[in-house]
Amino acid sequence: MIAEFGLFALILALLVAAVQATIPLIGAARGDAVWMSLDRPSAFTQFCLVAIAFGCLMWLHVTSDFSVLNVVQSSHTDKPLLYKITGVWANHEGSMMLWTLILVLYGLAVSIFGRDLPPALRARALAIQGMIGFGFILFILLTSNPFLRVDPAPVNGDGLNPLLQDPGLAFHPPFLYLGYVGFSMAFSFAIAALIEGRVDAAWARWVRPWTLVAWCALTLGVAMGSWWSYYTLGWGGYWAWDPVENASLMPWLAGTALLHSSIVAEKRDTLKSWTIFLAIVTFSLSLLGTFLVRSGVLTSVHSFANDPKRGLFILLLLGVVTGGSLILYAIRAPALKGGGLFAMVSREGGLLFNNIVLSTAAGTVLLGTLYPLFVDALGLGKVSVGPPYFNIVMVPLMLPMIALMAIGPLLAWKRGDLPHALSRLKFAGAATALTVIATLLAAGISTRSLLAGIGLGLGVWLIMGSLTEWAGRVHLFRHSLADSLHRAWHLPRSAYGMTLGHLGLAFILIGVAGSQAWRTEYLEVMHPGDTASVAGYQVKFLGAEENIVGPNYISTRGNFIATRNGRLIADLQPERRMYANPQQPLSTVAIYTNLISDLYVVLGDPAGHGGSVVHIFHNPLVPWIFFGALVMVLGGIVSLTDRHHRIGAPRRRIDVRPRPAAPTVAAPVAVATAKPRYNWMTIVPLACFIVLAGFLVWRLYLVELGFAPNLIPSVMINRPAPAFNLPALAEGQPGVSSADLQGKVTLVNFFASWCIPCREEHPVLPLIAQAGIRLVGISYKDRPQDAKAWLDQLGNPYKAVGVDLYGHAGLDFGVYGVPESYLIDKHGVIRFKQTGPLTPEIIRGTIIPMAEKLAR
């Protein structure tokens, strides 16, 4: 009955969303105060109904009601209560319910805190929110109903992926969605402004708090995701430029640009059309990320679903929201007056440069994410775009912006004095130079040290520049200390927020520079009593405790002690866990941090005679990355509490009717005055979106036909195979290590006994050996006894078989699912990847000819 009650509440919410989307909008057009007044009650009612539906779904999970399909697929009676609760949004249907709950929560917040908004603007904004809510609730009801019953009900459920049985699931998705969905408010205000022609300082002031809330949440969500990946996956990294990671980064970059452009729109009444455009783009990128995660167009370990039917619905929603808003923008934006004039050397000029760089960065990430698909679509072959591309492109973009971040706040509005600003930064410049020189002297002269020195120097430059700007505001060292303290106490909180935000980015930059330059790694088989030396630490393996019983798993716990100069530093206890439901392995990482660096230990697969494969990383300055993100979020929160966000601004009506252009006097930079009714520049975004939407529709069609697996080629193509050392599947047989991939062309095949496509692929594998190609198998996340029995039954075509019980080697290779195969040349470089089963056509038409060419 609870499931039906939740479904009924969701249906009622759909009807209320329809009312919210139409009646207030019509009332605003007619000037009918009664119809407009329905905006707040409908927003409140819609929130209550969606909250009831979400509460019903949570109750079904907590009580383990296995008559509901959603509970069966992602829960189990042995699962701890925390993960029963977080498991609500650990699946596609539940995550869409969380998305919708947060969406209507923002609508409720506007109805409560927006009482002083002009009634017509509030009615239009909440109507737009109602339209978005209607679309997502309809999507849930038609394609993703979380309340479907199953008959007969099973005794127990399938359980939750062990990777998701982590406290990170309680925080990362909710904050990520608070950011994604939060930008819908800026979008709704932008569309409302275009409809009624009100784009002025008051509008910008109303938009900024909602943008700031969304930005803070998304910053925290992305940082939490990075931290979760860092301590859970056991790979020692924190950002892999995965397509879905990129999908969260793009709206963050665009949202950061929106946050800064809204400052110019509020303070100087200019960049208004650009701010409107950024509001549209930012929320559209959030919707695009939702599409990429759930459509199957991109393959990623973060994907929620791979259903092209769901993807088509989201794409239609994206088309209506983004396409409709860009059409409205193309029609209305040319009539908006540009505002005042400003010189390029001014605070407006610095913020404009910030916007250009951030927008270019977002476009670069979008291009890199989708470029392999475009190339494949045009028949130009298969290419991979991975970290090398993003690092090479993003670094030159970000460096000048970071350098300018210390200068921009020192410039005056309208026209700045660059020499004076630079003179105030002489100490910052000296500190930067000393940092670069000290880095080179300490680490030696090399390209890696030079890049690290530049990164650390820029971080110091930004820190010193931010503190210099704050010191100038409070007249530090120019007046008495009492006067400076008085000024500091009365300084606007938004000024402190800016300083904290810039300091946080500086800490992140320092962390990234240090971790990329000086990370060290150790990978060997260790037996009890063995000691590894890593970055000045001595890590001793004491042994492993077997059969430790957890809530719903059995683990093997490794015991390590870390010493430095004979002094005990830490006890480290990484684990290998085997979960009961579902029966999947998982490794937990042991991390010792001194807030300057991390010692990171992973217990790998058993290697016989009490030994285990052990992976140890020393990651310098990585803690600064996550600390910097927290400082940035703190800056946003402090800025959000500023008094001016709670006080209205004078509103000036901006008439959208075209007016003749007035002559202007020559100036260093002239921000446009009145424009013609139609401007081809405003049509370009719409045309680009139409092309992108058409392309994504075509890719969905290919997914429907079954061509999904190879849409994203491996980022490891043309790169050396990762280092690994795996134990043998059977006693007396050789194991597999990266050293075995040298000297002869080799095909590495990842398989598992539980994999149905692997069984279909198995009969064609002897064709590989018959062609003279060395065939190596890796049993992926499979119990050795099951894999051995499977090969005994079907035959063993492999030259050697290694056991990757916990998926560490697969993670390093970039395996998304089995079967996957990698063709490696005689120098150990990956040249081809096949995602999905090998077929006689693929072997004869692709692999054998390529192997012959590589052998020559």
Side-chain angles (χ1 to χ4, degrees), residues 552-634:
N552 58 339
Y553 61 83
I554 296 177
S555 72
T556 298
R557 178 182 298 157
N559 292 305
F560 297 81
I561 57 171
T563 61
R564 193 180 188 107
N565 299 324
R567 184 170 61 89
L568 179 65
I569 299 298
D571 292 310
L572 300 167
Q573 294 183 324
E575 293 185 2
R576 297 191 306 259
R577 296 177 178 176
M578 177 59 73
Y579 281 78
N581 293 286
Q583 288 193 356
Q584 292 183 15
L586 178 71
S587 289
T588 63
V589 176
I591 301 176
Y592 164 74
T593 182
N594 57 10
L595 303 182
I596 301 297
S597 63
D598 287 346
L599 186 63
Y600 185 106
V601 182
V602 184
L603 182 67
D605 302 311
H609 307 290
S612 296
V613 177
V614 176
H615 211 165
I616 304 174
F617 300 88
H618 179 255
N619 295 325
L621 295 177
V622 163
W624 286 49
I625 297 174
F626 306 112
F627 173 71
L630 292 177
V631 172
M632 290 178 70
V633 174
L634 177 62

Side-chain angles (χ1 to χ4, degrees), residues 136-338:
F136 275 100
I137 296 173
L138 186 64
F139 170 66
I140 293 173
L141 291 174
L142 295 182
T143 70
S144 310
N145 185 358
F147 299 108
L148 288 177
R149 293 283 189 179
V150 56
D151 188 24
V155 176
N156 223 321
D158 299 333
L160 183 65
N161 186 331
L163 281 173
L164 301 179
Q165 296 189 40
D166 186 273
L169 185 64
F171 305 103
H172 169 54
F175 278 105
L176 201 65
Y177 290 1
L178 278 168
Y180 279 158
V181 181
F183 287 121
S184 68
M185 280 317 314
F187 171 84
S188 297
F189 275 114
I191 300 305
L194 284 177
I195 292 174
E196 70 177 34
R198 187 185 298 276
V199 184
D200 52 18
W203 174 85
R205 179 166 292 186
W206 282 113
V207 167
R208 275 189 65 198
W210 301 106
T211 305
L212 195 54
V213 168
W215 182 85
C216 289
L218 186 57
T219 302
L220 190 57
V222 172
M224 283 183 168
S226 178
W227 167 242
W228 189 8
S229 171
Y230 178 66
Y231 76 78
T232 299
L233 296 182
W235 62 307
Y238 46 83
W239 191 266
W241 293 106
D242 177 272
V244 178
E245 289 177 336
N246 296 346
S248 67
L249 180 62
M250 289 185 290
W252 185 87
L253 291 169
T256 305
L258 172 62
L259 194 60
H260 288 80
S261 68
S262 64
I263 296 174
V264 182
E266 177 186 348
K267 300 289 187 182
R268 296 284 298 131
D269 198 31
T270 189
L271 297 186
K272 294 177 291 189
S273 177
W274 172 248
T275 304
I276 292 282
F277 176 69
L278 278 179
I280 295 172
V281 168
T282 302
F283 183 56
S284 298
L285 288 174
S286 298
L287 292 179
L288 179 63
T290 304
F291 168 78
L292 295 178
V293 173
R294 301 168 194 276
S295 63
V297 167
L298 294 180
T299 306
S300 169
V301 294
H302 300 84
S303 296
F304 268 105
N306 293 291
D307 186 351
K309 294 184 176 63
R310 290 170 174 170
L312 181 59
F313 196 108
I314 297 176
L315 187 58
L316 289 173
L317 185 60
L318 178 65
V320 171
V321 172
T322 304
S325 60
L326 288 177
I327 290 173
L328 181 62
Y329 177 78
I331 294 172
R332 307 284 276 183
L336 294 175
K337 294 174 64 176

